[in-house]
């Protein structure tokens, strides 16, 4: 939730896709009915109050970073090289294997977003951040599976969001000024 605030993805119906060791999807939404909360939990989501007043956060995850790192380790190559090889038209060997791993986590992310939409309606905006979103192949595959997104540079959006929350708690600014 702090990363969603830090990345500027805390508006109503915004979704943050934070691509780290686990790919965390955080959806800001109006408060859900008790029935929708029960449905969300039954579908593997967490529902909590958001850092933004009067919003809830619908949270899901995929262990994409772990799976991609396993692929990188198994292939024994630098991730940037694998990313470039995965972009080649005639993929073979390592590039094809890395592209297949990217596709697998892309499909899993698309499934999370579809299940979120079934509970809270369509999202307005998708903001992507995190180390595993780096690279042209990773972004191309993500766009193919998840649709249009805004890329938020950097990998410390959680720290930024926590700092913004601390400033709010200290009375330095209001949440509306942050958003």
């Amino acid at each position: 939730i702090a990363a969603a605030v830090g990345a500027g993805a805390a508006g109503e119906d915004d979704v943050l896709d934070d691509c780290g060791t686990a790919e965390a999807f955080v959806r800001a939404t109006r408060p859900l009915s008790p029935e929708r909360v029960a449905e969300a939990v039954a579908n593997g989501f967490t529902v909590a109050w958001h850092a933004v007043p009067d919003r809830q956060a619908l949270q899901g995850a995929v262990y994409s970073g772990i799976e991609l790192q396993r692929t990188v380790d198994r292939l024994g190559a630098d991730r940037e090289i694998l990313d470039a090889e995965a972009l080649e038209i005639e993929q073979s060997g390592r590039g094809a294997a890395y592209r297949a791993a990217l596709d697998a986590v892309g499909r899993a992310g698309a499934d999370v977003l579809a299940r979120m939409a079934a509970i809270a309606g369509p999202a307005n905006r998708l903001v992507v951040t995190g180390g595993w979103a780096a690279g042209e192949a990773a972004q191309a595959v993500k766009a193919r599976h998840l649709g249009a997104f805004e890329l938020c540079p950097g990998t410390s959006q959680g720290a930024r969001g926590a700092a913004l929350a601390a400033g709010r708690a200290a009375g330095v600014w209001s949440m509306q000024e942050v958003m």
Side-chain angles (χ1 to χ4, degrees):
I1 295 173
V5 172
E12 188 167 321
D13 297 323
D14 283 354
V15 177
L16 172 72
D17 176 3
D18 191 356
C19 304
T21 302
E23 186 171 0
F25 292 88
V26 181
R27 164 88 184 262
T29 185
R30 68 192 176 294
L32 299 171
S33 70
E35 295 79 21
R36 287 290 189 193
V37 170
E39 181 182 354
V41 171
N43 276 289
F45 293 113
T46 299
V47 179
W49 285 104
H50 206 289
V52 177
D54 302 319
R55 286 198 191 116
Q56 285 185 317
L58 183 58
Q59 302 169 89
V62 176
Y63 292 108
S64 58
I66 289 172
E67 292 305 317
L68 292 172
Q69 187 62 56
R70 285 181 183 149
T71 301
V72 169
D73 293 346
R74 182 174 46 83
L75 296 172
D78 183 71
R79 190 169 108 199
E80 287 76 24
I81 292 170
L82 291 172
D83 191 78
E85 290 176 1
L87 281 173
E88 294 175 6
I89 303 282
E90 297 295 325
Q91 299 171 17
S92 63
R94 297 182 318 190
Y98 189 61
R99 179 65 178 252
L102 289 171
D103 276 325
V105 298
R107 284 189 302 274
D111 176 65
V112 170
L113 291 179
R115 290 184 295 120
M116 279 184 166
I119 293 165
N124 288 331
R125 183 171 160 249
L126 176 63
V127 178
V128 176
T129 191
W132 284 103
E136 288 183 57
Q139 292 169 23
V141 169
K142 190 168 286 295
R144 186 160 40 86
H145 288 286
L146 306 183
F149 63 86
E150 298 172 30
L151 185 64
C152 182
T155 57
S156 300
Q157 301 311 319
R160 182 177 186 274
L164 291 170
R168 177 178 167 222
V172 175
W173 51 69
S174 69
M175 187 56 74
Q176 287 71 27
E177 292 172 301
V178 172
M179 301 303 297

